[in-house]
Amino acid sequence: MTTAEPPNEVWHRNVKAHTSDEISSHAGSHNDAQDEDLRQWQKHAQRMKVKIMEQVQDQLSDILDKALTESTQPLTQIQQTVNGKTTKKTSSRSHRMDDGKVFMDRASLLDELFEISHIRTIYHMFIAVLLIFCLSTLAVDYIDQGRLVLEFDLLFFAFGKLGTVTWVWTLMFVYTLLVPYYTLVFWGSLYHSFPSKLGLSMWTGLVLSAIQTCMLGLFPIYMVVHHQLPPASRFIVILEQIRFLMKSYSFIRETAPVVMKNTPKEGENPRFPTLSSYFYFLFCPTLIYRESYPRNTHIRWNYVGVTLGMILGCLFYGYFILVRLCVPVFRPENNQPFSKRTMVLAVFHSILPGIMLLLLCFFAFLHCWLNLFGELLRFADRMFYKDWWNSTSFANYYRTWNVVVHDWLYYYGYRDFLWLSKRKFRTAAMLSVFIVSAVVHEYALAMGFGFFYPVMFFLFAIFGVVFNFTMNDKRQSPVFNVIMWACLFLGQGVQVCLYCQEWYAQIHCPRTGNSFWELVTPRSWSCSNQR
């Protein structure tokens, strides 16, 4: 038989069970809190690790840049002792500003990435798309005309009057080669013996500026307008005009301070750069003048042939994009009434050809064209761009998209502005560089297309500036890389849409007068045949 337990024992057992449950529950919640604190601490430690690694990487990069700069500076001459004091006399060839651009032997980033089979497959995919474009054009021509037709009438039109372009370019080149160089030699030979150095410099600068304005400013514009050059021929003349101006300015800017600082000894003539070094500079793929650059030992002719083939492929690629994706949408025969719906659809339809043209221009010019000249001239520094596609901020995108132009704007625009303002007004210096860049871009497009429609200027000078300050280098999340690409897609769609509409509006609704407002008012705003 079982006996009933006393009530007190039952009560004590229940109390103990309840107490043990509370203790175990408290211990479990305490363990959960410890786990949560541990996870939070691990996340914090990971964030601190990333920040520390970034700071260490930046500091190491600065140290390496400084070491490379110092190692490439011209060697100082032997120390001389004067009156018991040791002095250093630097070489007369030292003409770089402190922390100037350092050229070194390095390959283009895409050349290195193409060694990876996965990246090379993406390149093969673009080639396949080019073949599909070609086949679709042949199929459409066969259906419409009953025969295979592969005409490139748009290319022949765009690159028309190449004879005029050739002799205009020749005149600009000969002028850029001889006039700035011998003007510098004339000024430098008189500078140290002339009574008024400031007066000589001012008058020489004014005369050279006036000649530059006529030959590299007004002359190309007159030839483009007077001969009614087609679009691609216009762009060749205008872009070469801008390039010659930037090159000649860099030559004067880098060489004049050397002449001023290095007083020749009595009976000696000042030392000037050789004409051959300046001649080489006019063709090498950089806008920063140096008397010498790192050079390769030989020319890889296979590389030259492949690169030239890629340039021709990009040319036909652009032709097919325009013919298959842009012309059928925007030509006047469609003649759809204008509405918000058609405008929005046109912008989004233009995103695909717009981003393809952007990537095509980058690959054709910044990679293929510049590497072609770099290889032919054995120019070893091929860092014409960086990994702009990985940018999480527009500030980084602007620095890495076109390193060649960025270096010129940085050293002769931004940094010289800070030097003149005694390192004040950094924001004003940055804004001035943006405005200059936006104006030059808009000038090139206006002269190339033959009409004024400041889409690029507003996107660059307004939205570009806003994005530069809002999406700055502090933004490191991959989300901002997505936002950057989305903005590029949309911006390219807007540009392609509006410029195509204006192109056909200029043809279908030509100007009736030459007044100022007629010239600056877009025809697509009033043309009845716009989309």
Side-chain angles (χ1 to χ4, degrees), residues 448-462:
F449 290 136
F451 56 78
F452 177 74
Y453 199 5
V455 179
M456 170 69 82
F457 178 81
F458 281 102
L459 290 177
F460 207 127
I462 297 178

Side-chain angles (χ1 to χ4, degrees), residues 148-177:
L148 295 178
V149 179
L150 196 60
E151 297 178 349
F152 300 103
D153 49 344
L154 183 61
L155 280 179
F156 289 116
F157 161 73
F159 287 92
K161 300 183 179 180
L162 284 180
T164 303
V165 173
T166 301
W167 71 263
V168 170
W169 180 89
T170 303
L171 287 178
M172 291 194 299
F173 170 73
V174 172
Y175 164 80
T176 307
L177 175 65

Side-chain angles (χ1 to χ4, degrees), residues 40 63 66 97 165 283 292 305 406 423 432 434 474 492:
Q40 293 295 331
I63 293 172
K66 184 177 180 180
M97 295 176 60
V165 173
F283 285 99
S292 62
H406 171 266
R423 296 195 172 274
S432 65
F434 263 98
K474 296 179 181 179
Q492 289 301 117

Side-chain angles (χ1 to χ4, degrees), residues 266-300:
E266 189 174 352
E268 292 183 354
N269 294 322
R271 295 186 64 186
F272 300 105
T274 60
L275 183 61
S276 61
S277 67
Y278 181 47
F279 180 84
Y280 179 87
F281 168 65
L282 290 180
F283 285 99
C284 71
T286 181
L287 296 174
I288 306 296
Y289 174 75
R290 295 289 184 266
E291 285 193 49
S292 62
Y293 300 93
R295 306 281 293 275
N296 293 328
T297 57
H298 63 282
I299 299 174
R300 298 172 296 173

Side-chain angles (χ1 to χ4, degrees), residues 54-335:
E54 290 177 353
Q55 293 176 359
V56 171
Q57 184 177 2
D58 292 340
Q59 291 178 358
L60 286 175
S61 178
D62 293 340
I63 293 172
L64 288 175
D65 288 341
K66 184 177 180 180
L68 288 170
T69 303
E70 293 176 352
S71 65
T72 54
Q73 292 292 336
L75 296 174
T76 57
Q77 295 181 348
I78 301 175
Q79 294 183 351
Q80 297 179 348
T81 304
V82 181
N83 296 330
K85 296 182 180 180
T86 302
T87 60
K88 271 187 184 178
K89 183 180 179 181
T90 58
S91 170
S92 61
R93 316 304 281 177
S94 178
H95 58 276
R96 303 178 193 178
M97 295 176 60
D98 294 338
D99 300 326
K101 179 176 175 61
V102 177
F103 292 90
M104 63 187 71
D105 189 346
R106 48 192 168 184
S108 289
L109 183 56
L110 283 183
D111 284 338
E112 296 178 343
L113 291 177
F114 284 157
E115 298 295 328
I116 305 172
S117 59
H118 303 289
I119 304 299
R120 195 164 57 248
T121 300
I122 299 176
Y123 170 69
H124 295 160
M125 292 167 59
F126 277 91
I127 297 177
V129 173
L130 174 60
L131 296 177
I132 295 299
F133 272 133
C134 185
L135 291 175
S136 67
T137 303
L138 288 173
V140 171
D141 289 342
Y142 183 78
I143 294 173
D144 293 342
Q145 303 183 26
R147 60 190 179 91
L148 295 178
V149 179
L150 196 60
E151 297 178 349
F152 300 103
D153 49 344
L154 183 61
L155 280 179
F156 289 116
F157 161 73
F159 287 92
K161 300 183 179 180
L162 284 180
T164 303
V165 173
T166 301
W167 71 263
V168 170
W169 180 89
T170 303
L171 287 178
M172 291 194 299
F173 170 73
V174 172
Y175 164 80
T176 307
L177 175 65
L178 299 179
V179 175
Y181 179 81
Y182 284 106
T183 301
L184 178 77
V185 171
F186 169 79
W187 167 81
S189 60
L190 298 177
Y191 180 79
H192 294 285
S193 60
F194 204 78
S196 176
K197 293 181 174 59
L198 179 60
L200 175 66
S201 300
M202 289 184 61
W203 278 108
T204 306
L206 289 175
V207 171
L208 180 61
S209 298
I211 301 175
Q212 290 273 91
T213 302
C214 294
M215 281 303 299
L216 293 182
L218 301 178
F219 172 70
I221 296 175
Y222 172 79
M223 298 306 298
V224 163
V225 175
H226 177 73
H227 291 277
Q228 291 296 304
L229 297 181
S233 300
R234 283 172 172 257
F235 276 112
I236 292 173
V237 174
I238 297 302
L239 293 179
E240 285 298 281
Q241 171 200 26
I242 297 172
R243 185 176 72 91
F244 285 142
L245 282 170
M246 297 172 76
K247 291 250 185 184
S248 57
Y249 180 85
S250 176
F251 173 71
I252 299 294
R253 174 66 182 81
E254 294 287 341
T255 309
V258 182
V259 177
M260 297 171 65
K261 292 178 182 178
N262 296 278
T263 304
K265 295 180 180 180
E266 189 174 352
E268 292 183 354
N269 294 322
R271 295 186 64 186
F272 300 105
T274 60
L275 183 61
S276 61
S277 67
Y278 181 47
F279 180 84
Y280 179 87
F281 168 65
L282 290 180
F283 285 99
C284 71
T286 181
L287 296 174
I288 306 296
Y289 174 75
R290 295 289 184 266
E291 285 193 49
S292 62
Y293 300 93
R295 306 281 293 275
N296 293 328
T297 57
H298 63 282
I299 299 174
R300 298 172 296 173
W301 291 107
N302 289 336
Y303 184 89
V304 171
V306 171
T307 305
L308 186 60
M310 289 192 293
I311 293 174
L312 294 177
C314 291
L315 192 63
F316 289 111
Y317 217 133
Y319 165 79
F320 285 121
I321 291 174
L322 293 175
V323 169
R324 304 305 305 161
L325 300 180
C326 294
V327 173
V329 177
F330 296 101
R331 59 188 171 192
E333 285 79 1
N334 292 322
N335 194 23

Side-chain angles (χ1 to χ4, degrees), residues 11-81:
W11 182 79
H12 282 296
R13 187 182 301 113
N14 291 337
V15 170
K16 290 180 180 179
H18 181 69
T19 304
S20 63
D21 290 341
E22 287 184 349
I23 293 173
S24 60
S25 175
H26 179 71
S29 62
H30 181 68
N31 290 334
D32 291 340
Q34 284 184 336
D35 292 341
E36 181 64 24
D37 291 341
L38 181 61
R39 284 193 295 269
Q40 293 295 331
W41 172 251
Q42 289 175 344
K43 291 181 180 179
H44 177 70
Q46 188 67 24
R47 288 195 297 267
M48 292 299 298
K49 175 185 174 182
V50 172
K51 291 182 179 179
I52 292 172
M53 291 299 296
E54 290 177 353
Q55 293 176 359
V56 171
Q57 184 177 2
D58 292 340
Q59 291 178 358
L60 286 175
S61 178
D62 293 340
I63 293 172
L64 288 175
D65 288 341
K66 184 177 180 180
L68 288 170
T69 303
E70 293 176 352
S71 65
T72 54
Q73 292 292 336
L75 296 174
T76 57
Q77 295 181 348
I78 301 175
Q79 294 183 351
Q80 297 179 348
T81 304

Side-chain angles (χ1 to χ4, degrees), residues 1-5:
M1 291 181 62
T2 58
T3 57
E5 294 180 346

